[in-house]
Amino acid sequence: MNLLVTGGCGFIGSNYIHYIFSTFNDITVINVDKLTYAGNLLNLQSIEKEYGGKRYFFEHEDIADAEAMRTIFEKYNIDAVVNFAAESHVDRSIDDPTPFITTNVMGTQVLLSAARDAKVERFVHISTDEVYGDLSLDDPAFTEQTPLHPSSPYSASKASADMLAYAFYRTYGYNVSITRCSNNYGPYQFPEKLIPLMFSLASSDKPLPVYGTGMNIRDWIHVSDHCKGVHLTLMKGEAGKAYNFGGNAERTNIDVVRTILRDLGKPEDLITFVKDRPGHDRRYAMNYSLAQKELGYEPEYTFERGIKETLDWYRNNTDWLNDVQSGAYLEFMKKWYGDK
Ligand code: NAD
């Protein structure tokens, strides 16, 4: 199979490409990535070295560029697309929604159109639990029937992309499925997201900014469980359907931060509560029984095992962490959190 993976240099996309090469020997991957601040070729250095030019091809392109996408579909005989490419950080979307609309909405439409024109047989679009909005403490978890009710410019752009995917199925009968998953964690996550951010700040004894009272609840899924879920969807998912994926691990943000501090042997007084994120969702929780029933999905990681392995990975990969924490990263962190 010739598989086009977009956003393959980001956190989940690169983990997915590693998963493909460690599991299958009959899949060729074409990775299309614009290399925004979140895209990092270092994430795939070992893949490039071993499979580059044979079963792995990198194309530095923008999914919102229709001509470039048409050329790529012509150049490679693509059988399927998995679309991870996105602007993915809520805080950045609050700061400036524009690139979120360009990539997440227009980019998804361009890619869907180009894939359909090229008669690509299968398309999986990667979405998020955030499209459902939020839950109160005693609401039941989100199912695929929960109405879309996004809160941030990021989640609104992802919900729009989901609607386009549904429309391509309903209007053209296109073979597209959607995956929606909870908060991912694991290796290669850009250190603006909670776990690597808190790890790196605590490691250098800097204050840890926690929004509001830290009582917001997220469900955490290890990225390797998510990657398996994505692949199951690609192989077995039904056209026109969305599948939820969760990790069975609801935790408050403050719990996660305390776990990191304990692991590092750092004091809790590093925690600094900061003004809450505008429109901050209270709680996300995923009912993933459809994926269990139809795809045979089951998360393998407990949060305790996953967080331990993840923190060990960051501890053992400080070069990677230092490399991404420069330039544009520093500018945004300063603008958003101030000069602490
Ligand atoms: P990320 O920000 O780490 O990576 C995004 C990648 O997409 C980067 O490599 C970037 O260079 C690339 N990209 C951005 N704009 C592009 C464009 N116009 N054309 C081509 N490439 C482009 O994101 P991530 O955390 O890996 O998330 C991947 C997908 O999973 C996203 O669609 C996101 O919405 C979704 N998701 C993420 C999480 C999470 O916890 N990280 C949870 C649910 C869903």
Side-chain angles (χ1 to χ4, degrees):
M1 178 189 348
N2 287 345
L3 181 60
L4 181 73
V5 175
T6 71
C9 296
F11 164 46
I12 307 176
S14 62
N15 275 282
Y16 181 66
I17 293 175
H18 279 284
Y19 163 74
I20 293 289
F21 282 99
S22 64
T23 316
F24 305 99
N25 54 22
D26 56 352
I27 299 180
T28 294
V29 172
I30 296 90
N31 172 15
V32 170
D33 199 297
K34 187 182 169 185
L35 295 179
T36 66
Y37 75 95
N40 188 349
L41 287 170
L42 280 179
N43 298 0
L44 293 166
Q45 219 173 17
S46 58
I47 301 286
E48 180 67 61
K49 210 166 153 199
E50 196 170 347
Y51 302 104
K54 291 178 270 189
R55 280 177 52 215
Y56 174 74
F57 300 87
F58 174 64
E59 294 281 353
H60 184 192
E61 294 292 357
D62 180 343
I63 60 160
D65 180 339
E67 188 51 35
M69 290 309 104
R70 199 178 57 76
T71 308
I72 283 173
F73 284 111
E74 263 172 23
K75 181 170 167 190
Y76 302 95
N77 193 14
I78 304 291
D79 299 300
V81 176
V82 178
N83 182 29
F84 291 100
E87 289 292 337
S88 69
H89 190 38
V90 175
D91 291 342
R92 285 179 188 261
S93 82
I94 296 168
D95 191 48
D96 179 11
T98 311
F100 288 75
I101 304 307
T102 312
T103 287
N104 301 2
V105 185
M106 290 162 67
T108 302
Q109 174 268 311
V110 165
L111 195 64
L112 280 163
S113 293
R116 180 177 162 264
D117 289 348
K119 306 203 174 353
V120 173
E121 282 166 31
R122 182 83 179 115
F123 195 116
V124 173
H125 175 69
I126 309 301
S127 185
T128 165
D129 57 359
E130 300 194 31
V131 296
Y132 296 123
D134 67 352
L135 298 166
S136 69
L137 291 185
D138 25 69
D139 281 334
F142 299 127
T143 70
E144 292 81 357
Q145 271 66 54
T146 305
L148 304 194
H149 190 59
S151 311
S152 68
Y154 163 68
S155 51
S157 71
K158 295 295 291 183
S160 309
D162 287 15
M163 293 299 188
L164 282 165
Y166 282 133
F168 268 65
Y169 168 71
R170 281 291 298 269
T171 308
Y172 308 117
Y174 193 52
N175 187 1
V176 51
S177 306
I178 299 167
T179 66
R180 298 193 181 122
C181 70
S182 49
N183 273 35
N184 283 229
Y185 67 105
Y188 302 113
Q189 185 164 32
F190 195 79
E192 63 188 359
K193 305 282 168 67
L194 188 74
I195 291 176
L197 174 65
M198 296 301 159
F199 171 86
S200 93
L201 291 172
S203 301
S204 43
D205 298 303
K206 292 203 176 117
L208 273 48
V210 172
Y211 279 132
T213 57
M215 293 311 284
N216 302 68
I217 296 173
R218 301 291 177 262
D219 172 58
W220 291 91
I221 180 172
H222 191 274
V223 67
S224 71
D225 283 328
H226 180 209
C227 289
K228 285 177 195 158
V230 166
H231 205 69
L232 286 169
T233 309
L234 179 69
M235 304 314 287
K236 296 189 188 173
E238 244 181 74
K241 260 193 179 171
Y243 294 91
N244 283 355
F245 294 94
N248 229 354
E250 282 187 57
R251 297 285 184 282
T252 59
N253 289 343
I254 194 73
D255 265 359
V256 174
V257 173
R258 287 197 179 116
T259 305
I260 296 169
L261 287 171
R262 264 199 310 279
D263 179 273
L264 285 167
K266 299 285 183 180
E268 287 200 6
D269 60 12
L270 284 178
I271 296 171
T272 316
F273 292 102
V274 297
K275 191 167 175 288
D276 209 356
R277 169 191 274 169
H280 204 176
D281 285 336
R282 178 75 175 88
R283 171 177 167 243
Y284 307 135
M286 288 302 247
N287 176 330
Y288 53 85
S289 54
L290 185 70
Q292 286 175 303
K293 196 166 125 228
E294 293 194 2
L295 309 177
Y297 167 76
E298 212 56 68
E300 284 175 20
Y301 272 85
T302 60
F303 185 69
E304 288 63 35
R305 174 183 158 209
I307 188 86
K308 181 156 190 341
E309 280 186 24
T310 301
L311 296 175
D312 283 345
W313 189 88
Y314 286 104
R315 235 188 306 275
N316 295 329
N317 288 276
T318 43
D319 286 354
W320 181 90
L321 206 52
N322 293 338
D323 190 83
V324 290
Q325 285 176 311
S326 59
Y329 170 83
L330 283 182
E331 274 163 44
F332 181 77
M333 297 313 276
K334 216 185 246 178
K335 180 172 172 192
W336 198 254
Y337 290 115
D339 215 351
K340 290 209 184 91

